[in-house]
Coordinates of all heavy atoms in Angstrom, one line a residue:
T1721 N 16.6 34.3 25.4 CA 17.8 34.8 26.0 C 18.6 35.6 24.8 O 18.2 35.6 23.7 CB 18.8 33.7 26.4 OG1 19.2 32.9 25.3 CG2 18.1 32.9 27.5
N1722 N 19.5 36.4 25.2 CA 20.3 37.1 24.3 C 21.0 36.2 23.3 O 21.2 36.5 22.1 CB 21.4 38.0 25.0 CG 20.7 39.2 25.7 OD1 19.6 39.7 25.3 ND2 21.3 39.7 26.7
G1723 N 21.5 35.1 23.9 CA 22.2 34.1 23.0 C 21.3 33.5 22.0 O 21.7 33.2 20.8
M1724 N 20.0 33.3 22.4 CA 19.0 32.8 21.3 C 18.8 33.8 20.3 O 18.7 33.5 19.0 CB 17.8 32.4 22.0 CG 17.9 31.2 23.0 SD 16.4 30.9 23.9 CE 15.2 30.5 22.7
S1725 N 18.8 35.1 20.6 CA 18.5 36.0 19.6 C 19.7 36.2 18.6 O 19.6 36.3 17.4 CB 18.3 37.4 20.3 OG 17.1 37.4 21.0
V1726 N 20.9 36.1 19.2 CA 22.1 36.1 18.3 C 22.1 34.9 17.4 O 22.5 35.1 16.2 CB 23.4 36.2 19.3 CG1 24.7 35.9 18.4 CG2 23.5 37.4 20.0
L1727 N 21.8 33.7 17.9 CA 21.7 32.6 17.1 C 20.7 32.7 15.9 O 21.0 32.3 14.8 CB 21.4 31.3 17.9 CG 21.3 30.0 17.2 CD1 22.5 29.6 16.5 CD2 20.7 28.9 18.2
L1728 N 19.6 33.3 16.3 CA 18.6 33.5 15.3 C 19.1 34.3 14.1 O 18.9 34.0 13.0 CB 17.4 34.1 16.0 CG 16.1 34.5 15.1 CD1 15.5 33.3 14.5 CD2 15.2 35.3 16.0
V1729 N 19.6 35.4 14.4 CA 20.2 36.4 13.4 C 21.3 35.7 12.7 O 21.3 35.8 11.4 CB 20.5 37.7 14.1 CG1 21.1 38.6 13.0 CG2 19.3 38.3 14.7
A1730 N 22.3 35.2 13.4 CA 23.5 34.7 12.8 C 23.3 33.5 11.8 O 23.7 33.5 10.7 CB 24.6 34.4 13.8
S1731 N 22.5 32.6 12.3 CA 22.2 31.4 11.4 C 21.4 31.8 10.2 O 21.6 31.2 9.1 CB 21.5 30.4 12.3 OG 20.2 30.8 12.8
S1732 N 20.5 32.7 10.4 CA 19.6 33.2 9.2 C 20.5 33.9 8.2 O 20.3 33.7 7.0 CB 18.6 34.0 9.7 OG 17.6 33.4 10.6
A1733 N 21.4 34.6 8.7 CA 22.3 35.4 7.8 C 23.3 34.4 7.0 O 23.5 34.5 5.9 CB 23.1 36.4 8.6
L1734 N 23.8 33.4 7.8 CA 24.6 32.4 7.0 C 23.8 31.6 6.1 O 24.4 31.3 5.0 CB 25.3 31.5 8.1 CG 26.3 32.2 9.0 CD1 26.8 31.2 10.1 CD2 27.6 32.5 8.2
C1735 N 22.6 31.3 6.4 CA 21.8 30.5 5.4 C 21.5 31.4 4.2 O 21.5 30.9 3.0 CB 20.5 30.1 6.1 SG 19.4 29.1 5.2

Side-chain angles (χ1 to χ4, degrees):
T1721 64
N1722 291 333
M1724 291 171 68
S1725 296
V1726 170
L1727 176 64
L1728 176 64
V1729 174
S1731 60
S1732 299
L1734 289 174
C1735 185

